[in-house]
Amino acid sequence: MSSNANLTRNDRKKLKKVFSGNKCGHQPDAPRFFAPPEKHALRPSVLRTSIAKLCGYFSNPKLFPLLNAANGSDRQQRSERREACVLLMSCILHYMDMVTYRVAIPGENGGMGLTMPYLATLTGLGERRAERAIRDLKKAGIITVHPICKKLEDATYKGLAAIRAVSKHFFAALGLLDWLKHEQRKATERKIQREEKKRRKELAHIQMAINAAKPKAAAPVKRTGTMTPIKDRIAALRAPLGPPPD
């Protein structure tokens, strides 16, 4: 007799939920959505609104027809695949740079791209499942992906985190493109102001260093009393000698 015979009806329901969705822990009636790291500051409202609207794709695949058809089938995209796409895309939006639309951790030279293992960790997805979701998003034209590599001293190449960027068409599909462009202009102005402030600060430090390197001028000699005219000084020197001989 199967051991399942000893399980109650509720137990069998729980097991069905756990192992549904291609045995990846997906529950069609309780999808998981992206939760930003606790210490992160709030992202711009347009991005948070985009994430909220994106979550509607799970229950309404018609929201993004090209994404729904990314699997190349006439059938609707499976719910566990929709969940993965929503999770990955929400994470991408959270890390999107408002000026360039690139996906990166803020830093020097445009920031640092996010690797696939890191994206998988952030979303709680398996790496292969995350890779499939990225492929679907790329195929639907929602994101662009540009692999990059670095040449090493031994003439070999090392793969780096790919450059990913969000397409404007995604925001257009959500009806948020005009808002996004407005926020992009504001973000660009703030970036220019920060760079100008940083430049002025650097110039001030350089000027201070130049001033410190200059040789200091000798302090003028302070003279006390009054100066005796030269003629009087000569007469004083000759006085003890007496008058000149006849």
Side-chain angles (χ1 to χ4, degrees), residues 30-246:
R32 292 185 299 114
F33 296 115
F34 177 70
E38 293 182 1
K39 295 183 180 180
H40 282 205
L42 282 178
R43 302 294 285 128
S45 296
V46 64
L47 295 183
R48 287 183 280 126
T49 301
S50 298
I51 293 173
K53 285 180 172 286
L54 169 66
C55 292
Y57 172 73
F58 181 82
S59 57
N60 180 24
K62 294 180 180 179
L63 183 62
F64 293 106
L66 292 178
L67 181 57
N68 188 39
N71 56 5
S73 172
D74 294 334
R75 298 180 61 185
Q76 181 173 281
Q77 191 180 42
R78 291 174 62 89
S79 62
E80 69 269 16
R81 199 147 179 171
R82 295 200 304 274
E83 179 187 60
C85 287
V86 170
L87 273 168
L88 252 297
M89 190 60 199
S90 298
C91 180
I92 285 172
L93 287 170
H94 179 76
Y95 284 93
M96 190 190 89
D97 178 73
M98 286 296 302
V99 177
T100 63
Y101 301 163
R102 285 183 53 181
V103 183
I105 296 175
E108 296 293 332
N109 301 320
M112 181 178 64
L114 306 182
T115 63
M116 278 307 308
Y118 189 55
L119 284 170
T121 300
L122 287 169
T123 56
L125 295 170
E127 196 167 332
R128 291 186 62 185
R129 192 177 172 204
E131 289 173 350
R132 285 194 296 268
I134 286 289
R135 287 198 298 269
D136 286 349
L137 294 169
K138 181 182 176 182
K139 189 174 182 180
I142 291 175
I143 64 172
T144 58
V145 180
H146 301 283
I148 57 175
C149 57
K150 178 182 179 181
K151 189 174 182 179
L152 303 178
E153 293 181 356
D154 59 357
T156 59
Y157 289 86
K158 177 183 178 181
L160 303 177
I163 299 174
R164 300 180 180 86
V166 182
S167 170
K168 292 181 180 179
H169 300 299
F170 168 78
F171 295 97
L174 296 177
L176 301 174
L177 185 57
D178 289 340
W179 187 10
L180 176 73
K181 289 180 177 179
H182 174 70
E183 293 298 330
Q184 183 189 35
R185 285 192 295 269
K186 290 168 57 178
T188 302
E189 291 173 358
R190 290 194 298 268
K191 182 178 180 180
I192 292 174
Q193 290 173 357
R194 287 195 302 269
E195 290 176 349
E196 180 62 22
K197 183 178 180 181
K198 180 180 178 182
R199 188 184 69 86
R200 289 198 300 267
K201 189 174 182 180
E202 289 174 348
L203 288 175
H205 287 164
I206 292 172
Q207 189 61 50
M208 289 174 62
I210 293 174
N211 293 339
K214 286 182 178 179
K216 294 182 179 180
V221 177
K222 294 184 178 180
R223 299 181 183 275
T224 59
T226 57
M227 294 294 293
T228 305
I230 189 64
K231 291 189 298 181
D232 295 343
R233 293 175 65 188
I234 294 174
L237 290 172
R238 287 179 175 176
L241 299 178
D246 293 334

